[in-house]
Amino acid sequence: MTPTDPVGAHMGEPDPSGRFGRFGGRFVPETLMPACIELDAAFREAWADPAFRAELDGLLHDYAGRPSPLTECHRLSEELGLRLLLKREDLNHTGSHKINNVLGQALLTKRMGKTRLVAETGAGQHGVATATAAALMGFECVVYMGEVDMERQKLNVFRMKLLGAEVRPALSGSRTLKDAVNEAMRDWVATVVTSHYCLGSVMGPHPYPWMVRELHRVLGTEAREQSRALLGGADPDVIVACVGGGSNAAGIFSGFADTAAALVGVEPAGGAAVGGGVPGVVHGMASFLKQDEWGQVEEAQSISAGLDYPGVGPEHAHLSDTGRATYPNVTDAEVIAAFRTLTRTEGIIPALEPAHALAWVIREAPSLAGKTVLVNLSGRGDKDVAQMMDLLEDEL
Ligand SMILES: *Cc1c(COP(=O)(O)O)cnc(C)c1O
């Protein structure tokens, strides 16, 4: 597996210590180690159990609305001179791919005999998804959210409360997502007998990066079957997804890692952990991180709160290392333009996160001429309309 052999055995299991190449692992205090080991064993057993898989498939179908469709964008394809397909995760219940992960972890929580979910959230989307799963299962739910983020995302705070969750402000550090993760881990250690930590992306200590990717694999598997049916057995030339922690990208990449398709993860220019980070350890994992000159974790800054994570899942760091995937970035201005373009040409208002993936396709269209490009449309834009109205109202 070298950069000159990019189509190798990718996206299988990490090694027993949870390593993807030189990344991943389990960098946690002694007190958290037993909880990680218990979770690893429980997930491994559940994932191999056909009854668990059938119950999860049933929930994904009857509750979340899977399978999500694959949509061919005829007008935008013509404008760009390529063939553009969208995997429609925006049509899932709660409006994004996040429901795949939380339903899986909620079922696992029930199987472990636990009754309380702890989660972190930044923009509030993962908190809302977790609160939704908790309401469905009758679990207690506590969501940690940076105090600054709570102020910025009042609507999602209210949604979580409506769903019956308690939202606790993270008051340490910069009072944003990375502090909320620390608080959630602290809660988990103290309450591990009754609580499961429902982590929101392919990050954190082993088994989370692997487990969360497996729970999102369903979207990649569906997209593989759907695009083969559409393309007469062929695969798309390029698979594109936005990258915050990297879970929606991991889901779609996992469906195509063993094909010749190019895999492209698009980061925000202001939060490019793979493109602009250095190797380091945060939140229990070794990965690429945005750090300042003193090694302090730097705040990510982008128009899309859902991508403001200063790190990235370790498997993406590894896919970058081996050359199997590439991680370019786009600016906020390119993202706003892409958001407007998809809306006007296809009648689909995307979330600002997947607008990053579209922005890269639009910018690179000349070099993608004639190719089939599959974009994972990870979420819908309803949550971003008010923010865009403040920016664009005078122009319309
Ligand atoms: C949360 C979110 C993301 C970023 O998370 P990943 O783990 O990188 O997928 C992307 N898109 C949408 C719509 C989200 O809600």
Side-chain angles (χ1 to χ4, degrees):
M1 213 155 57
T2 66
T4 50
D5 173 28
V7 186
H10 281 284
M11 306 198 85
E13 265 193 47
D15 75 16
S17 65
R19 293 272 183 168
F20 300 93
R22 61 188 172 122
F23 299 104
R26 198 182 258 158
F27 294 86
V28 294
E30 279 307 312
T31 46
L32 249 178
M33 203 52 110
C36 291
I37 291 168
E38 179 201 16
L39 179 61
D40 186 21
F43 177 68
R44 219 166 265 284
E45 189 205 39
W47 209 228
D49 178 358
F52 180 86
R53 300 288 282 260
E55 192 177 357
L56 179 56
D57 286 348
L59 271 182
L60 290 170
H61 183 272
D62 303 335
Y63 185 74
R66 302 211 72 87
S68 67
L70 189 80
T71 298
E72 178 156 14
C73 297
H74 295 284
R75 295 190 64 219
L76 187 51
S77 292
E78 193 173 324
E79 204 172 300
L80 297 176
L82 47 80
R83 189 168 184 188
L84 180 65
L85 312 177
L86 300 178
K87 178 61 175 163
R88 301 293 305 279
E89 293 298 293
D90 59 317
L91 295 177
N92 295 336
H93 181 47
T94 69
S96 80
H97 67 294
K98 287 192 167 75
I99 196 78
N100 306 323
N101 173 38
V102 300
L103 287 178
Q105 291 199 47
L107 263 192
L108 187 62
T109 303
K110 190 172 86 174
R111 189 181 171 99
M112 288 189 289
K114 299 183 176 188
T115 55
R116 181 173 178 269
L117 287 178
V118 179
E120 84 295 340
T121 198
Q125 297 301 112
H126 175 60
V128 168
T130 305
T132 299
L136 175 69
M137 308 286 228
F139 292 155
E140 192 188 329
C141 181
V142 173
V143 180
Y144 290 89
M145 190 169 185
E147 194 183 33
V148 171
D149 290 333
M150 280 180 75
E151 191 54 40
R152 286 194 287 219
Q153 308 286 340
K154 284 187 180 147
L155 202 57
N156 274 339
V157 173
F158 183 65
R159 275 199 190 100
M160 287 183 263
K161 289 181 178 168
L162 272 180
L163 289 159
E166 181 192 342
V167 185
R168 291 190 189 160
L171 302 170
S172 60
S174 52
R175 292 169 292 139
T176 57
L177 176 59
K178 72 175 167 54
D179 312 293
V181 175
N182 290 331
E183 294 289 330
M185 284 187 173
R186 227 167 274 151
D187 182 317
W188 188 35
V189 183
T191 62
V192 68
V193 177
T194 55
S195 300
H196 169 65
Y197 176 19
C198 184
L199 214 159
S201 192
V202 285
M203 39 158 280
H206 180 60
Y208 284 103
W210 166 62
M211 176 176 74
V212 175
R213 181 251 281 166
E214 285 303 289
L215 293 172
H216 283 302
R217 182 181 283 277
V218 60
L219 79 91
T221 304
E222 281 175 16
R224 170 82 168 261
E225 285 168 13
Q226 290 165 322
S227 55
R228 288 205 153 178
L230 184 73
L231 305 173
D235 295 310
D237 299 302
V238 190
I239 313 296
V240 193
C242 63
V243 174
S247 67
N248 86 88
I252 196 125
F253 287 1
S254 69
F256 297 91
D258 61 342
T259 73
L263 307 179
V264 181
V266 184
E267 298 187 301
V274 184
V278 293
V281 172
V282 75
H283 297 146
M285 63 180 180
S287 192
F288 285 126
L289 297 177
K290 293 272 289 176
Q291 290 182 338
D292 66 18
E293 55 189 304
W294 295 283
Q296 292 293 316
V297 176
E298 240 177 343
E299 287 294 298
Q301 259 332 321
S302 86
I303 192 168
S304 148
L307 297 182
D308 282 352
Y309 182 63
V312 66
E315 191 168 24
H316 288 293
H318 179 59
L319 289 169
S320 170
D321 246 11
T322 61
R324 179 64 190 94
T326 52
Y327 296 85
N329 56 71
V330 293
T331 64
D332 287 352
E334 290 173 311
V335 171
I336 295 166
F339 172 88
R340 299 184 69 179
T341 298
L342 186 71
T343 303
R344 270 187 296 100
T345 56
E346 300 291 337
I348 298 169
I349 303 180
L352 286 170
E353 293 88 354
H356 285 69
L358 288 162
W360 179 83
V361 174
I362 291 169
R363 185 176 76 202
E364 299 301 322
S367 65
L368 297 170
K371 299 213 158 140
T372 301
V373 180
L374 169 59
V375 168
N376 193 29
L377 199 72
S378 56
R380 56 178 171 246
D382 307 31
K383 67 182 178 58
D384 301 315
V385 167
Q387 185 186 350
M388 286 300 99
M389 190 167 83
D390 289 342
L391 273 174
L392 302 174
E393 206 175 9
D394 297 341
E395 294 179 38
L396 301 180

